[in-house]
């Protein structure tokens, strides 16, 4: 209790899932950014964990990707 666990931090989890969902849809960072009406550099920063998305931004990206926003926090079973 109270100790850090080795599980991935949420920023990393969001970054990994954003990249995966974007690629599954065949979208470049630029295409995703255009559809979400945000800067392409911001998408890259999110995917590299250089920035943390707000709840509103996650909702906007989820709408463009046609997923439930909770999918950004999905943990895959098994190893990577």
């Amino acid at each position: 209790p109270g100790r850090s666990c080795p599980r991935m931090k949420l920023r990393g989890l969001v970054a990994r899932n954003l990249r995966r969902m974007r690629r599954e849809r065949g979208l470049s960072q630029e295409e995703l950014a255009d559809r979400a009406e945000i800067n392409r550099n911001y998408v890259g920063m999110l995917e590299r964990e250089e920035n943390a998305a707000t709840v509103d931004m996650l909702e906007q990206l989820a709408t463009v990707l046609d997923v439930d926003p909770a999918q950004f926090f999905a943990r895959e079973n098994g190893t990577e």
Side-chain angles (χ1 to χ4, degrees):
R3 301 183 80 188
S4 293
C5 62
R7 294 169 66 174
M8 185 180 293
K9 292 186 177 182
L10 289 178
R11 185 182 289 196
L13 195 56
V14 168
R16 185 191 72 197
N17 285 323
L18 173 59
R19 182 179 297 112
R20 177 182 53 79
M21 291 186 287
R22 175 180 62 75
R23 288 179 175 169
E24 285 173 355
R25 284 150 185 80
L27 296 174
S28 67
Q29 288 181 350
E30 186 171 5
E31 288 169 323
L32 176 59
D34 286 346
R35 292 180 189 190
E37 299 180 349
I38 58 176
N39 189 288
R40 185 201 62 80
N41 292 327
Y42 184 68
V43 173
M45 291 173 70
L46 292 176
E47 290 188 359
R48 290 188 305 273
E49 302 178 48
E50 294 173 5
N51 209 324
T54 63
V55 172
D56 290 341
M57 180 54 60
L58 291 177
E59 187 173 43
Q60 192 170 336
L61 290 167
T63 298
V64 171
L65 294 168
D66 194 28
V67 297
D68 185 307
Q71 290 302 306
F72 287 113
F73 302 100
R75 295 182 189 275
E76 292 181 339
N77 294 327
T79 59
E80 288 196 0

